[in-house]
Amino acid sequence: MNANKIHADKEKTIKSAIASVEWQDLRQLTCAQIAYNLILPYLFLLLSWWFASQSLYVLACGASYLFFAAAFRQAHDGYHRSLGTGKRATTAILLLLSVLLMTSLHSIRATHMEHHRNPLGDSDIEGRLAKGSWWQALLGGIAYRLDIYRQGLRLSSRRNQRIAWLEFGLIFLVIITALVLIVLPVAVPAISTLAQVLIYHLLTMMLANASVGIIAVWGVHHDCDETIARTERNPLVNLLTFNLLYHVEHHLFPAVPSNHLPELAKRLDAAAPHLTKAHVLPNMATVMEFINHYASKLKDKDQNSNDSECPIRKRFA
């Protein structure tokens, strides 16, 4: 049975389970929520740049993570036209974020829409990493990103292809500027600080983009037997990830903005709790079961090894 057949059977079961969930009222955003969506990433970006300019790189990395997660959320809502902005404004936001995140979001958007049309199916390039092990998802980050670009350009309209190539061009220009600032000796302190911040930002964004596969794909889609994605109920984790881990909720109701995913999660828990059983992070009981299982395996292996290495014990066993 191929992936498309499995997906079709699973989709029928899911549709019947969520038919009673009220969600249309969650599509609306207030002016305050729209403003929050638009401003959120850039405060963390400025903070990370300031820390980097002061050579406080540990604090800068923390702020850069928050920027990347918040920008990822903004781009994700932009893909689904759920930021509360018009089409042109959304296009401009994705273009700006592409340069800041050092990745072409218009090419990613095309593969993301295919991911929603056929999640974990044969044509889903984005969800491919979820079908392997965690270490394959970790090591395949860069090659995975290049595959996303290639597939995204193929699936995009001509208009979006032009925008994607513009994004690639602007990213290339930023990289060239950074290299020039490194190579050329500059006596002006402000230019030296700019080069320091720019190089730091490029390196952190490249690392963050390479880690997207393990976190945003494998982490939320691996081993989902009854549903198509995982979710999370730890309030601190959801706060630090800006609601991005309410992933099964998002797949079932992609038109609902990230602002309202916690409320949607409550409704889904009440209507179809079996769809929200698979969590992104394991609970303590699962962790202890995993540790005890492998400790027992190591103990048995060590015991068998000792028995085989001792001919006297083996003789009188």
Side-chain angles (χ1 to χ4, degrees), residues 114-150:
E114 181 62 27
H115 171 63
H116 273 269
R117 285 189 290 268
N118 188 23
L120 306 184
D122 294 336
S123 63
D124 180 17
I125 298 297
E126 181 177 310
R128 184 190 65 195
L129 288 183
K131 301 173 185 178
S133 62
W134 67 268
W135 61 267
Q136 289 174 319
L138 180 64
L139 296 179
I142 297 176
Y144 166 77
R145 181 63 79 185
L146 294 177
D147 287 341
I148 289 289
Y149 292 153
R150 184 166 52 251

mmCIF file of all heavy atoms in Angstrom, residues 114-150:
data_model
loop_
_atom_site.group_PDB
_atom_site.id
_atom_site.type_symbol
_atom_site.label_atom_id
_atom_site.label_comp_id
_atom_site.label_asym_id
_atom_site.label_seq_id
_atom_site.Cartn_x
_atom_site.Cartn_y
_atom_site.Cartn_z
ATOM 1 N N GLU A 114 1.615 22.028 -1.104
ATOM 2 C CA GLU A 114 1.544 20.622 -1.518
ATOM 3 C C GLU A 114 1.556 19.699 -0.304
ATOM 4 O O GLU A 114 0.878 18.658 -0.296
ATOM 5 C CB GLU A 114 2.713 20.294 -2.442
ATOM 6 C CG GLU A 114 2.737 18.861 -2.948
ATOM 7 C CD GLU A 114 1.528 18.506 -3.788
ATOM 8 O OE1 GLU A 114 0.928 19.410 -4.411
ATOM 9 O OE2 GLU A 114 1.165 17.303 -3.811
ATOM 10 N N HIS A 115 2.297 20.076 0.716
ATOM 11 C CA HIS A 115 2.336 19.319 1.971
ATOM 12 C C HIS A 115 0.948 19.244 2.596
ATOM 13 O O HIS A 115 0.558 18.214 3.151
ATOM 14 C CB HIS A 115 3.326 19.992 2.920
ATOM 15 C CG HIS A 115 3.319 19.463 4.312
ATOM 16 N ND1 HIS A 115 3.650 18.158 4.620
ATOM 17 C CD2 HIS A 115 3.034 20.066 5.500
ATOM 18 C CE1 HIS A 115 3.579 17.977 5.939
ATOM 19 N NE2 HIS A 115 3.195 19.115 6.485
ATOM 20 N N HIS A 116 0.172 20.328 2.485
ATOM 21 C CA HIS A 116 -1.182 20.323 3.036
ATOM 22 C C HIS A 116 -2.156 19.566 2.141
ATOM 23 O O HIS A 116 -3.102 18.952 2.633
ATOM 24 C CB HIS A 116 -1.674 21.760 3.245
ATOM 25 C CG HIS A 116 -1.277 22.327 4.569
ATOM 26 N ND1 HIS A 116 -2.052 22.223 5.697
ATOM 27 C CD2 HIS A 116 -0.161 22.983 4.951
ATOM 28 C CE1 HIS A 116 -1.450 22.797 6.714
ATOM 29 N NE2 HIS A 116 -0.289 23.278 6.292
ATOM 30 N N ARG A 117 -1.941 19.616 0.838
ATOM 31 C CA ARG A 117 -2.823 18.881 -0.067
ATOM 32 C C ARG A 117 -2.643 17.382 0.077
ATOM 33 O O ARG A 117 -3.613 16.615 -0.053
ATOM 34 C CB ARG A 117 -2.567 19.304 -1.520
ATOM 35 C CG ARG A 117 -3.135 20.667 -1.888
ATOM 36 C CD ARG A 117 -3.026 20.915 -3.378
ATOM 37 N NE ARG A 117 -1.651 21.107 -3.797
ATOM 38 C CZ ARG A 117 -1.034 22.292 -3.882
ATOM 39 N NH1 ARG A 117 -1.699 23.390 -3.550
ATOM 40 N NH2 ARG A 117 0.213 22.386 -4.281
ATOM 41 N N ASN A 118 -1.422 16.936 0.345
ATOM 42 C CA ASN A 118 -1.135 15.506 0.399
ATOM 43 C C ASN A 118 -0.127 15.219 1.511
ATOM 44 O O ASN A 118 0.996 14.791 1.255
ATOM 45 C CB ASN A 118 -0.581 15.045 -0.955
ATOM 46 C CG ASN A 118 -0.448 13.534 -1.043
ATOM 47 O OD1 ASN A 118 -1.119 12.797 -0.329
ATOM 48 N ND2 ASN A 118 0.440 13.073 -1.919
ATOM 49 N N PRO A 119 -0.516 15.463 2.779
ATOM 50 C CA PRO A 119 0.448 15.339 3.877
ATOM 51 C C PRO A 119 1.023 13.929 4.015
ATOM 52 O O PRO A 119 0.276 12.957 4.129
ATOM 53 C CB PRO A 119 -0.365 15.746 5.117
ATOM 54 C CG PRO A 119 -1.788 15.566 4.714
ATOM 55 C CD PRO A 119 -1.845 15.837 3.251
ATOM 56 N N LEU A 120 2.355 13.853 3.942
ATOM 57 C CA LEU A 120 3.112 12.615 4.064
ATOM 58 C C LEU A 120 2.814 11.637 2.918
ATOM 59 O O LEU A 120 3.111 10.448 3.025
ATOM 60 C CB LEU A 120 2.863 11.931 5.412
ATOM 61 C CG LEU A 120 3.114 12.801 6.651
ATOM 62 C CD1 LEU A 120 2.922 11.979 7.913
ATOM 63 C CD2 LEU A 120 4.485 13.430 6.630
ATOM 64 N N GLY A 121 2.236 12.152 1.836
ATOM 65 C CA GLY A 121 1.988 11.322 0.664
ATOM 66 C C GLY A 121 3.202 11.251 -0.246
ATOM 67 O O GLY A 121 4.271 11.794 0.058
ATOM 68 N N ASP A 122 3.027 10.621 -1.394
ATOM 69 C CA ASP A 122 4.146 10.408 -2.310
ATOM 70 C C ASP A 122 4.704 11.710 -2.873
ATOM 71 O O ASP A 122 5.897 11.806 -3.170
ATOM 72 C CB ASP A 122 3.706 9.498 -3.470
ATOM 73 C CG ASP A 122 3.363 8.091 -2.989
ATOM 74 O OD1 ASP A 122 3.884 7.700 -1.928
ATOM 75 O OD2 ASP A 122 2.577 7.411 -3.661
ATOM 76 N N SER A 123 3.850 12.735 -3.048
ATOM 77 C CA SER A 123 4.299 13.995 -3.634
ATOM 78 C C SER A 123 4.727 15.026 -2.594
ATOM 79 O O SER A 123 5.090 16.147 -2.948
ATOM 80 C CB SER A 123 3.182 14.591 -4.501
ATOM 81 O OG SER A 123 2.047 14.894 -3.702
ATOM 82 N N ASP A 124 4.692 14.663 -1.328
ATOM 83 C CA ASP A 124 5.007 15.606 -0.248
ATOM 84 C C ASP A 124 6.511 15.628 0.023
ATOM 85 O O ASP A 124 7.016 14.846 0.831
ATOM 86 C CB ASP A 124 4.229 15.222 1.014
ATOM 87 C CG ASP A 124 4.510 16.166 2.182
ATOM 88 O OD1 ASP A 124 5.039 17.266 1.923
ATOM 89 O OD2 ASP A 124 4.197 15.798 3.332
ATOM 90 N N ILE A 125 7.215 16.548 -0.635
ATOM 91 C CA ILE A 125 8.654 16.689 -0.417
ATOM 92 C C ILE A 125 8.936 17.233 0.973
ATOM 93 O O ILE A 125 9.879 16.808 1.653
ATOM 94 C CB ILE A 125 9.262 17.614 -1.488
ATOM 95 C CG1 ILE A 125 9.074 17.009 -2.878
ATOM 96 C CG2 ILE A 125 10.739 17.872 -1.213
ATOM 97 C CD1 ILE A 125 9.786 15.702 -3.088
ATOM 98 N N GLU A 126 8.104 18.168 1.428
ATOM 99 C CA GLU A 126 8.334 18.787 2.743
ATOM 100 C C GLU A 126 8.265 17.755 3.868
ATOM 101 O O GLU A 126 9.048 17.800 4.810
ATOM 102 C CB GLU A 126 7.312 19.895 2.988
ATOM 103 C CG GLU A 126 7.493 20.605 4.320
ATOM 104 C CD GLU A 126 6.521 21.745 4.528
ATOM 105 O OE1 GLU A 126 6.393 22.587 3.618
ATOM 106 O OE2 GLU A 126 5.892 21.808 5.609
ATOM 107 N N GLY A 127 7.312 16.832 3.783
ATOM 108 C CA GLY A 127 7.138 15.867 4.854
ATOM 109 C C GLY A 127 8.011 14.632 4.744
ATOM 110 O O GLY A 127 7.910 13.720 5.565
ATOM 111 N N ARG A 128 8.898 14.611 3.757
ATOM 112 C CA ARG A 128 9.717 13.422 3.511
ATOM 113 C C ARG A 128 10.575 13.039 4.711
ATOM 114 O O ARG A 128 10.750 11.856 5.024
ATOM 115 C CB ARG A 128 10.613 13.675 2.302
ATOM 116 C CG ARG A 128 11.458 12.507 1.864
ATOM 117 C CD ARG A 128 12.462 12.970 0.835
ATOM 118 N NE ARG A 128 13.411 13.928 1.415
ATOM 119 C CZ ARG A 128 14.212 14.702 0.713
ATOM 120 N NH1 ARG A 128 14.169 14.683 -0.594
ATOM 121 N NH2 ARG A 128 15.053 15.522 1.326
ATOM 122 N N LEU A 129 11.122 14.022 5.406
ATOM 123 C CA LEU A 129 12.032 13.720 6.519
ATOM 124 C C LEU A 129 11.335 12.998 7.664
ATOM 125 O O LEU A 129 11.993 12.318 8.453
ATOM 126 C CB LEU A 129 12.670 15.012 7.043
ATOM 127 C CG LEU A 129 13.725 15.680 6.164
ATOM 128 C CD1 LEU A 129 14.297 16.902 6.865
ATOM 129 C CD2 LEU A 129 14.840 14.705 5.818
ATOM 130 N N ALA A 130 10.028 13.150 7.768
ATOM 131 C CA ALA A 130 9.301 12.504 8.863
ATOM 132 C C ALA A 130 9.246 10.993 8.707
ATOM 133 O O ALA A 130 8.920 10.273 9.662
ATOM 134 C CB ALA A 130 7.882 13.071 8.959
ATOM 135 N N LYS A 131 9.556 10.487 7.518
ATOM 136 C CA LYS A 131 9.474 9.048 7.262
ATOM 137 C C LYS A 131 10.733 8.303 7.665
ATOM 138 O O LYS A 131 10.758 7.078 7.659
ATOM 139 C CB LYS A 131 9.182 8.815 5.779
ATOM 140 C CG LYS A 131 7.894 9.463 5.309
ATOM 141 C CD LYS A 131 7.729 9.363 3.800
ATOM 142 C CE LYS A 131 6.512 10.123 3.322
ATOM 143 N NZ LYS A 131 6.364 10.085 1.845
ATOM 144 N N GLY A 132 11.812 9.043 8.001
ATOM 145 C CA GLY A 132 13.060 8.417 8.409
ATOM 146 C C GLY A 132 13.285 8.544 9.903
ATOM 147 O O GLY A 132 12.369 8.859 10.672
ATOM 148 N N SER A 133 14.519 8.298 10.318
ATOM 149 C CA SER A 133 14.874 8.402 11.732
ATOM 150 C C SER A 133 15.263 9.840 12.067
ATOM 151 O O SER A 133 15.473 10.673 11.179
ATOM 152 C CB SER A 133 16.039 7.462 12.050
ATOM 153 O OG SER A 133 17.188 7.829 11.291
ATOM 154 N N TRP A 134 15.394 10.115 13.362
ATOM 155 C CA TRP A 134 15.712 11.483 13.792
ATOM 156 C C TRP A 134 17.087 11.914 13.310
ATOM 157 O O TRP A 134 17.293 13.074 12.938
ATOM 158 C CB TRP A 134 15.616 11.585 15.309
ATOM 159 C CG TRP A 134 16.671 10.776 16.046
ATOM 160 C CD1 TRP A 134 16.550 9.495 16.494
ATOM 161 C CD2 TRP A 134 17.994 11.211 16.391
ATOM 162 N NE1 TRP A 134 17.718 9.087 17.094
ATOM 163 C CE2 TRP A 134 18.618 10.130 17.055
ATOM 164 C CE3 TRP A 134 18.706 12.385 16.208
ATOM 165 C CZ2 TRP A 134 19.920 10.202 17.532
ATOM 166 C CZ3 TRP A 134 20.008 12.466 16.685
ATOM 167 C CH2 TRP A 134 20.605 11.381 17.336
ATOM 168 N N TRP A 135 18.054 10.990 13.294
ATOM 169 C CA TRP A 135 19.405 11.386 12.893
ATOM 170 C C TRP A 135 19.470 11.644 11.387
ATOM 171 O O TRP A 135 20.264 12.474 10.926
ATOM 172 C CB TRP A 135 20.428 10.326 13.312
ATOM 173 C CG TRP A 135 20.254 8.962 12.722
ATOM 174 C CD1 TRP A 135 19.565 7.910 13.251
ATOM 175 C CD2 TRP A 135 20.779 8.498 11.465
ATOM 176 N NE1 TRP A 135 19.613 6.824 12.421
ATOM 177 C CE2 TRP A 135 20.359 7.150 11.316
ATOM 178 C CE3 TRP A 135 21.562 9.085 10.469
ATOM 179 C CZ2 TRP A 135 20.695 6.394 10.197
ATOM 180 C CZ3 TRP A 135 21.893 8.319 9.356
ATOM 181 C CH2 TRP A 135 21.472 6.998 9.224
ATOM 182 N N GLN A 136 18.632 10.957 10.598
ATOM 183 C CA GLN A 136 18.567 11.253 9.171
ATOM 184 C C GLN A 136 17.979 12.637 8.929
ATOM 185 O O GLN A 136 18.439 13.375 8.053
ATOM 186 C CB GLN A 136 17.727 10.191 8.461
ATOM 187 C CG GLN A 136 18.391 8.827 8.368
ATOM 188 C CD GLN A 136 17.471 7.767 7.784
ATOM 189 O OE1 GLN A 136 16.279 7.716 8.111
ATOM 190 N NE2 GLN A 136 17.999 6.915 6.922
ATOM 191 N N ALA A 137 16.974 12.987 9.729
ATOM 192 C CA ALA A 137 16.390 14.326 9.613
ATOM 193 C C ALA A 137 17.385 15.405 10.041
ATOM 194 O O ALA A 137 17.443 16.481 9.446
ATOM 195 C CB ALA A 137 15.126 14.416 10.481
ATOM 196 N N LEU A 138 18.203 15.087 11.040
ATOM 197 C CA LEU A 138 19.195 16.054 11.520
ATOM 198 C C LEU A 138 20.301 16.271 10.504
ATOM 199 O O LEU A 138 20.680 17.412 10.207
ATOM 200 C CB LEU A 138 19.779 15.566 12.850
ATOM 201 C CG LEU A 138 20.835 16.465 13.501
ATOM 202 C CD1 LEU A 138 20.222 17.812 13.880
ATOM 203 C CD2 LEU A 138 21.421 15.781 14.735
ATOM 204 N N LEU A 139 20.820 15.182 9.948
ATOM 205 C CA LEU A 139 21.952 15.286 9.022
ATOM 206 C C LEU A 139 21.522 15.730 7.625
ATOM 207 O O LEU A 139 22.346 16.242 6.862
ATOM 208 C CB LEU A 139 22.675 13.934 8.934
ATOM 209 C CG LEU A 139 23.338 13.441 10.220
ATOM 210 C CD1 LEU A 139 23.989 12.080 9.997
ATOM 211 C CD2 LEU A 139 24.378 14.447 10.720
ATOM 212 N N GLY A 140 20.260 15.546 7.297
ATOM 213 C CA GLY A 140 19.815 15.881 5.945
ATOM 214 C C GLY A 140 19.292 17.290 5.781
ATOM 215 O O GLY A 140 18.661 17.595 4.770
ATOM 216 N N GLY A 141 19.564 18.163 6.750
ATOM 217 C CA GLY A 141 18.985 19.504 6.744
ATOM 218 C C GLY A 141 19.304 20.332 5.527
ATOM 219 O O GLY A 141 18.409 20.912 4.891
ATOM 220 N N ILE A 142 20.577 20.397 5.126
ATOM 221 C CA ILE A 142 20.975 21.257 4.010
ATOM 222 C C ILE A 142 20.471 20.701 2.679
ATOM 223 O O ILE A 142 19.886 21.425 1.861
ATOM 224 C CB ILE A 142 22.506 21.418 3.988
ATOM 225 C CG1 ILE A 142 22.976 22.125 5.271
ATOM 226 C CG2 ILE A 142 22.943 22.205 2.757
ATOM 227 C CD1 ILE A 142 24.465 22.251 5.388
ATOM 228 N N ALA A 143 20.678 19.408 2.445
ATOM 229 C CA ALA A 143 20.200 18.797 1.197
ATOM 230 C C ALA A 143 18.675 18.885 1.101
ATOM 231 O O ALA A 143 18.118 19.107 0.014
ATOM 232 C CB ALA A 143 20.651 17.342 1.135
ATOM 233 N N TYR A 144 18.010 18.730 2.239
ATOM 234 C CA TYR A 144 16.551 18.838 2.280
ATOM 235 C C TYR A 144 16.101 20.229 1.849
ATOM 236 O O TYR A 144 15.153 20.382 1.073
ATOM 237 C CB TYR A 144 16.082 18.524 3.696
ATOM 238 C CG TYR A 144 14.661 18.913 4.004
ATOM 239 C CD1 TYR A 144 13.598 18.138 3.551
ATOM 240 C CD2 TYR A 144 14.377 20.040 4.776
ATOM 241 C CE1 TYR A 144 12.288 18.484 3.842
ATOM 242 C CE2 TYR A 144 13.081 20.390 5.078
ATOM 243 C CZ TYR A 144 12.044 19.617 4.613
ATOM 244 O OH TYR A 144 10.752 19.962 4.900
ATOM 245 N N ARG A 145 16.787 21.261 2.338
ATOM 246 C CA ARG A 145 16.430 22.632 1.995
ATOM 247 C C ARG A 145 16.596 22.886 0.494
ATOM 248 O O ARG A 145 15.762 23.525 -0.140
ATOM 249 C CB ARG A 145 17.285 23.600 2.803
ATOM 250 C CG ARG A 145 16.980 25.069 2.544
ATOM 251 C CD ARG A 145 15.573 25.428 2.947
ATOM 252 N NE ARG A 145 15.440 25.614 4.363
ATOM 253 C CZ ARG A 145 14.288 25.849 4.976
ATOM 254 N NH1 ARG A 145 13.175 25.906 4.275
ATOM 255 N NH2 ARG A 145 14.220 26.006 6.287
ATOM 256 N N LEU A 146 17.655 22.358 -0.093
ATOM 257 C CA LEU A 146 17.880 22.526 -1.530
ATOM 258 C C LEU A 146 16.790 21.813 -2.335
ATOM 259 O O LEU A 146 16.335 22.321 -3.372
ATOM 260 C CB LEU A 146 19.258 21.992 -1.913
ATOM 261 C CG LEU A 146 20.458 22.759 -1.329
ATOM 262 C CD1 LEU A 146 21.763 22.081 -1.719
ATOM 263 C CD2 LEU A 146 20.450 24.212 -1.778
ATOM 264 N N ASP A 147 16.360 20.634 -1.874
ATOM 265 C CA ASP A 147 15.264 19.923 -2.537
ATOM 266 C C ASP A 147 13.961 20.726 -2.469
ATOM 267 O O ASP A 147 13.178 20.747 -3.430
ATOM 268 C CB ASP A 147 15.051 18.554 -1.887
ATOM 269 C CG ASP A 147 16.145 17.559 -2.231
ATOM 270 O OD1 ASP A 147 16.859 17.800 -3.229
ATOM 271 O OD2 ASP A 147 16.284 16.554 -1.520
ATOM 272 N N ILE A 148 13.750 21.382 -1.328
ATOM 273 C CA ILE A 148 12.558 22.216 -1.164
ATOM 274 C C ILE A 148 12.568 23.364 -2.169
ATOM 275 O O ILE A 148 11.557 23.678 -2.812
ATOM 276 C CB ILE A 148 12.473 22.763 0.273
ATOM 277 C CG1 ILE A 148 12.136 21.641 1.260
ATOM 278 C CG2 ILE A 148 11.443 23.890 0.382
ATOM 279 C CD1 ILE A 148 10.733 21.119 1.173
ATOM 280 N N TYR A 149 13.725 24.016 -2.313
ATOM 281 C CA TYR A 149 13.828 25.113 -3.283
ATOM 282 C C TYR A 149 13.522 24.627 -4.699
ATOM 283 O O TYR A 149 12.772 25.265 -5.444
ATOM 284 C CB TYR A 149 15.242 25.709 -3.254
ATOM 285 C CG TYR A 149 15.604 26.454 -1.997
ATOM 286 C CD1 TYR A 149 16.928 26.555 -1.588
ATOM 287 C CD2 TYR A 149 14.630 27.063 -1.206
ATOM 288 C CE1 TYR A 149 17.275 27.240 -0.431
ATOM 289 C CE2 TYR A 149 14.967 27.740 -0.047
ATOM 290 C CZ TYR A 149 16.294 27.830 0.335
ATOM 291 O OH TYR A 149 16.631 28.501 1.471
ATOM 292 N N ARG A 150 14.130 23.518 -5.084
ATOM 293 C CA ARG A 150 13.965 22.996 -6.434
ATOM 294 C C ARG A 150 12.501 22.621 -6.701
ATOM 295 O O ARG A 150 11.939 22.982 -7.742
ATOM 296 C CB ARG A 150 14.889 21.792 -6.634
ATOM 297 C CG ARG A 150 14.864 21.225 -8.041
ATOM 298 C CD ARG A 150 16.022 20.264 -8.273
ATOM 299 N NE ARG A 150 16.105 19.229 -7.258
ATOM 300 C CZ ARG A 150 17.065 19.163 -6.328
ATOM 301 N NH1 ARG A 150 18.018 20.076 -6.296
ATOM 302 N NH2 ARG A 150 17.078 18.194 -5.444
#
